[in-house]
Amino acid sequence: MKALVVYYSRTGNTRDVAQDVARELNCDLEEIYDTQKRSGIIGWLKSGYQANRGKYTIIKELEKNPASYDLVIIGTPVWAGKPAVPVSTFLRDYRDELNNVAFFCTLKASGSESALQAMAELSGKTPVETMVIEESEIKQKTCDCKLEPFVRDVVDF
Ligand SMILES: Cc1cc2nc3c(=O)[nH]c(=O)nc-3n(C[C@H](O)[C@H](O)[C@H](O)COP(=O)(O)O)c2cc1C
């Protein structure tokens, strides 16, 4: 099974998890690069507004071709109960190039269900597996108990 982990991260949480998943699966990893500035309070407000309104952005073209992978694992932070805008854009732009998908999200507390649901709708696919990791679990390094079953299940899919 050939897998690719694709993620967007504004402040590093989702990147940490994506790197762990790719390391455990010994698979390729690619970051989604946005063309909009999202740092600081203005970036935070803009991002929340855009996610809430279902807006898109312009992302840089991926280096790897998702169509050449059996499984693409897509990671996003939750923004206003939605996937991050660059991830929504990735799912819209690459939906025809995704064979099978698995999703994970990182968040502070709530909104994972609606974010994962939106990811399924945007990709037009039911994920083979999903994982939700809270920021506190990343900071305290206690997310292995979620990572292990997720990695085991996607390997077996
Ligand atoms: C614009 C914005 C909106 C957010 N909305 C939510 C939310 O609805 N629910 C939640 O639990 N966390 C929310 N968060 C927190 C992030 O999901 C959380 O910090 C995530 O781990 C950040 O991932 P990153 O470091 O990879 O960017 C939001 C963060 C931002 C920047």
Side-chain angles (χ1 to χ4, degrees):
M1 199 252 323
K2 197 179 164 203
L4 169 69
V5 178
V6 176
Y7 71 96
Y8 170 80
S9 183
R10 179 174 169 270
T11 51
N13 292 338
T14 313
R15 179 178 300 116
D16 283 354
V17 178
Q19 288 173 342
D20 284 349
V21 172
R23 191 182 50 246
E24 289 300 319
L25 288 170
N26 194 19
C27 75
D28 290 342
L29 175 68
E30 181 149 6
E31 183 167 0
I32 296 169
Y33 288 104
D34 191 8
T35 54
Q36 293 192 40
K37 186 173 175 283
R38 297 192 181 275
S39 55
I41 186 70
I42 301 292
W44 190 90
L45 289 169
K46 178 171 77 174
S47 298
Y49 172 84
Q50 290 178 344
N52 185 248
R53 294 291 174 102
K55 303 269 186 208
Y56 297 101
T57 181
I58 296 169
I59 57 171
K60 290 193 184 156
E61 196 179 327
L62 254 62
E63 285 180 10
K64 298 183 172 62
N65 175 12
S68 69
Y69 293 84
D70 303 308
L71 176 69
V72 180
I73 301 164
I74 301 147
T76 186
V78 173
W79 285 359
K82 300 277 172 55
V85 172
V87 173
S88 295
T89 305
F90 165 80
L91 291 167
R92 180 197 64 176
D93 292 355
Y94 287 86
R95 64 181 279 157
D96 294 337
E97 289 160 58
L98 301 171
N99 292 314
N100 296 287
V101 294
F103 302 143
F104 70 87
C105 61
T106 72
L107 77 172
K108 262 203 164 62
S110 65
S112 60
E113 279 179 26
S114 50
L116 293 169
Q117 176 66 31
M119 292 173 84
E121 285 166 15
L122 285 161
S123 65
K125 304 215 160 42
T126 303
V128 300
E129 205 51 57
T130 61
M131 172 171 69
V132 177
I133 298 196
E134 290 178 17
E135 205 173 80
S136 59
E137 296 175 304
I138 299 168
K139 303 291 180 217
Q140 292 159 22
K141 301 195 185 301
T142 56
C143 45
D144 280 4
C145 59
K146 289 183 176 172
L147 249 153
E148 280 163 18
F150 178 77
V151 166
R152 194 180 54 232
D153 289 350
V154 297
V155 165
D156 285 350
F157 110 88

